Amino acid sequence: MSFDLSHLTGVELVWLLDLTFAGQEFRLARDFQVYTDEEGEVFQYHPGLDWGGTLQDEIDLLNDAPSPNQVALTLYLGSLINVPEAVAAGHDLAAAVGKLWLWSRGSSERLLLIDGRVLDPQYGTKEEPVTLTIEEAPFDDLALFPPAQAQITPSTFPNYADEMLSERYPWIFGFPGTTTGRGSPGMWIDTRKLLIAGHPVTGGSTVTVYNQTNEVDAVLTVAQEADGLGRLVTTVDINTLAHNHETDEYWIRWTSTGACGIADHDGSTARGAGSVLRYMMEQSSVRWDRGRIAAILPALNQYQIDCAITADPGRRFSPLQWVQEHLAPILPISARQGPHGLYYALYRYDATEEDAVANINIDRLDGSRDGAVSYSSRDQIRNEIRLSYAQNAMDNKPTATFVLTGDDETLDNDTAAVSNAPCRVSRDRFGLRVLELSTEVIYDRPTAGRIAGWLSHAFALPSRTIAYTCRQEFGYLEPGDVVTLTDTEINLAALVCLVDSVTWTEDGSVGLVLMAIDNPARETFTEATA
């Protein structure tokens, strides 16, 4: 959500408002303006937009849902429409919508900052101003997952076991269950045949079927077939299993040497967290930014997802809800709303000076500092991360725990625990502070380590934020961008920072809040010694 730098240097920025009300579109600016778009179409903007001229675009670090953008406006519409008369005729001012633009005057370039609905409108006589708030439309996923007809019914599999009626098909990502766990249920749909996935699978041709009732298992070959409604699913024939009664309880283990979950765009297994995120976004109804999601796939695909999604018969959920509950808490991402819809920005905790997209030097008058350097609350500090993972789907309990700590006593008592510099420094400064969390979508220990690692960089030490008013040319920056900051007045020389917020002002200046990345070391984990 930014301009090209060429549209910010030496130009005037003008706020434009498109308000749709009573079946008409009203175009307002502070003064009369003429805007010509890329196709040559001319739009006239009438005087009548009055407000403080300040809009903040900020990132809510590691939040799974973006905060909606809002701006309170005062509009003088008397020369364009009689508002009380229009309301009396049945036009609801509360149903109006608006778009707020920032235009680089003299060009066709303009930046859409808010595209949303009207909140809390107030009006008086025709001559009195209208006051209202425009809020960027919050994303609302109306889709439900899994698909409605992906369910065991007389229409899909008429020979199902009685207790299987209405069960939702499982959706598989990666290798849930691995070598010892129970990854997903096996559902009896016909004589000695189990449904194991509501979709075709990738990889090998076998899974391990475990009969929980009789405690026997076998490696069996999977098959692809269509259900009664034509949906392609994956099944397994259990004729050769030592015990295979209809009333028995069956569980499936998926391993890297056998069949595995749903396919990615290139036909490989969709196991990387970025690919799983993209898949779930594709199932949603929200407007989302495909380009920005694609850009973060390589970074997120370092995190391996292994899970089965098994919805209750009468309780499906939105795909976005699943992302918010299961992916967002374990990934270094923050939800953002942009001109092209919802996307996720990476938390670049490992950023270096080479990653910076701008070098802000206060000594050369790039800006001026607004107040003191501030610290985040020490209540957020955590220097021992205990992540429970490898969920046993049969009893919904994790079977493994990854421990990252800065505490020597923990390392002595748990030989599997590991340590890193942020946790050690934090433990020395603030004492032992533990964060315990669990995930149902991870079986891979290296992935558990990566999750604990970024959490330590985010929460082991307090963060510092510094506010500046900068020259207009820095308006191309976005929350989440990596920059370097030099300000010798407070002893900062090329300090690596993340942009926390960008504030646009009508006078042409840009407010930036920068968050310093304080990383005492950039080494990997140090295994505990015996």
Side-chain angles (χ1 to χ4, degrees):
M1 190 166 65
S2 65
F3 284 114
D4 183 273
L5 181 59
S6 64
H7 299 126
L8 292 171
T9 305
V11 299
E12 180 185 359
L13 297 179
V14 179
W15 296 96
L16 304 175
L17 175 69
D18 298 342
L19 178 73
T20 302
F21 166 61
Q24 304 178 62
E25 188 167 65
F26 303 98
R27 297 183 175 89
L28 299 173
R30 180 176 293 278
D31 307 302
F32 182 79
Q33 301 287 344
V34 178
Y35 166 71
T36 305
D37 68 12
E38 296 87 344
E39 284 75 36
E41 188 172 357
V42 178
F43 301 92
Q44 292 186 350
Y45 283 81
H46 301 273
L49 175 60
D50 184 15
W51 66 304
T54 299
L55 177 65
Q56 187 176 53
D57 181 18
E58 62 182 337
I59 193 167
D60 195 353
L61 181 63
L62 305 178
N63 190 14
D64 58 10
S67 301
N69 286 336
Q70 287 186 345
V71 61
L73 304 175
T74 299
L75 309 180
Y76 293 87
L77 297 168
S79 64
L80 302 174
I81 186 174
N82 187 326
V83 172
E85 183 179 90
V87 172
H91 298 289
D92 192 345
L93 186 57
V97 295
K99 294 181 179 181
L100 183 67
W101 306 83
L102 189 56
W103 171 40
S104 176
R105 195 167 186 266
S107 74
S108 62
E109 294 293 326
R110 60 176 180 172
L111 183 64
L112 179 60
L113 293 178
I114 295 183
D115 180 1
R117 58 187 180 177
V118 164
L119 301 178
D120 305 321
Q122 296 182 14
Y123 69 93
T125 66
K126 175 184 176 182
E127 291 75 21
E128 290 182 282
V130 172
T131 61
L132 51 81
T133 295
I134 295 181
E135 178 184 77
E136 187 173 13
F139 63 89
D140 185 12
D141 189 5
L142 300 180
L144 290 175
F145 188 83
Q149 294 180 329
Q151 187 175 26
I152 297 175
T153 66
S155 299
T156 55
F157 290 103
N159 297 322
Y160 58 83
D162 289 343
E163 62 271 22
M164 292 294 107
L165 178 62
S166 299
E167 289 292 332
R168 302 283 179 185
Y169 297 173
W171 245 252
I172 310 299
F173 294 104
F175 319 119
T178 62
T179 58
T180 58
R182 314 289 187 267
S184 63
M187 301 176 175
W188 186 289
I189 53 169
D190 207 337
T191 305
R192 296 180 176 83
K193 182 186 291 186
L194 305 179
L195 172 78
I196 61 173
H199 52 82
V201 296
T202 58
S205 60
T206 61
V207 294
T208 299
V209 178
Y210 187 84
N211 183 317
Q212 181 66 34
T213 305
N214 295 282
E215 298 185 344
V216 298
D217 63 14
V219 177
L220 302 176
T221 301
V222 303
Q224 178 179 299
E225 62 179 280
D227 67 9
L229 299 177
R231 175 179 294 278
L232 292 178
V233 300
T234 301
T235 62
V236 60
D237 190 313
I238 60 171
N239 262 306
T240 57
L241 189 64
H243 295 273
N244 49 33
H245 300 292
E246 178 176 326
T247 57
D248 290 347
E249 180 181 352
Y250 299 93
W251 293 92
I252 308 300
R253 291 201 295 262
W254 306 78
T255 66
S256 59
T257 59
C260 47
I262 201 163
D264 203 351
H265 284 192
D266 61 1
S268 64
T269 301
R271 191 184 180 207
S275 296
V276 175
L277 171 63
R278 179 174 61 183
Y279 178 86
M280 295 305 288
M281 296 297 288
E282 288 170 341
Q283 313 312 308
S284 75
S285 65
V286 299
R287 187 173 63 94
W288 58 285
D289 193 326
R290 295 174 182 270
R292 288 183 183 270
I293 295 294
I296 65 174
L297 284 185
L300 294 187
N301 279 347
Q302 297 179 58
Y303 299 81
Q304 301 296 297
I305 302 299
D306 302 296
C307 70
I309 299 178
T310 51
D312 292 338
R315 298 184 63 182
R316 289 189 296 155
F317 45 82
S318 79
L320 189 57
Q321 176 188 348
W322 188 88
V323 169
Q324 292 170 334
E325 291 181 2
H326 295 285
L327 293 186
I330 62 172
L331 298 177
I333 55 177
S334 301
R336 298 271 292 131
Q337 190 81 10
H340 302 292
L342 176 67
Y343 69 97
Y344 291 87
L346 286 176
Y347 168 51
R348 299 291 304 278
Y349 64 89
D350 56 350
T352 65
E353 189 173 347
E354 288 70 31
D355 298 312
V357 298
N359 302 304
I360 301 173
N361 191 326
I362 304 307
D363 299 348
R364 71 185 180 203
L365 304 181
D366 286 346
S368 59
R369 182 163 48 89
D370 302 328
V373 179
S374 57
Y375 279 83
S376 61
S377 171
R378 65 185 295 156
D379 292 340
Q380 300 175 350
I381 294 172
R382 297 292 183 268
N383 47 48
E384 182 169 295
I385 316 296
R386 307 182 72 90
L387 175 64
S388 299
Y389 66 104
Q391 185 90 347
N392 187 333
M394 183 181 70
D395 55 16
N396 290 322
K397 293 181 179 180
T399 61
T401 302
F402 188 96
V403 179
L404 172 63
T405 185
D407 186 66
D408 288 336
E409 185 176 343
T410 300
L411 292 169
D412 291 340
N413 294 331
D414 185 351
T415 57
V418 297
S419 182
N420 70 357
C423 286
R424 285 187 174 277
V425 172
S426 175
R427 172 64 177 83
D428 291 342
R429 293 179 184 175
F430 302 102
L432 180 62
R433 292 170 171 263
V434 181
L435 171 64
E436 294 185 335
L437 66 161
S438 64
T439 175
E440 300 176 2
V441 300
I442 300 295
Y443 280 81
D444 180 57
R445 178 174 168 81
T447 294
R450 288 190 178 93
I451 295 168
W454 79 255
L455 285 169
S456 73
H457 285 277
F459 299 110
L461 296 169
S463 60
R464 292 178 292 159
T465 55
I466 318 165
Y468 289 91
T469 298
C470 294
R471 296 202 309 264
Q472 181 174 292
E473 66 186 70
F474 290 102
Y476 73 95
L477 294 173
E478 295 183 322
D481 281 348
V482 179
V483 300
T484 61
L485 172 65
T486 297
D487 186 347
T488 56
E489 281 192 344
I490 53 174
N491 283 33
L492 302 181
L495 176 68
V496 179
C497 298
L498 297 178
V499 176
D500 188 69
S501 70
V502 179
T503 300
W504 296 93
T505 57
E506 200 166 27
D507 65 5
S509 62
V510 174
L512 298 177
V513 175
L514 306 180
M515 185 182 73
I517 299 180
D518 292 323
N519 191 345
R522 299 185 185 278
E523 80 276 11
T524 55
F525 296 122
T526 302
E527 294 288 345
T529 56

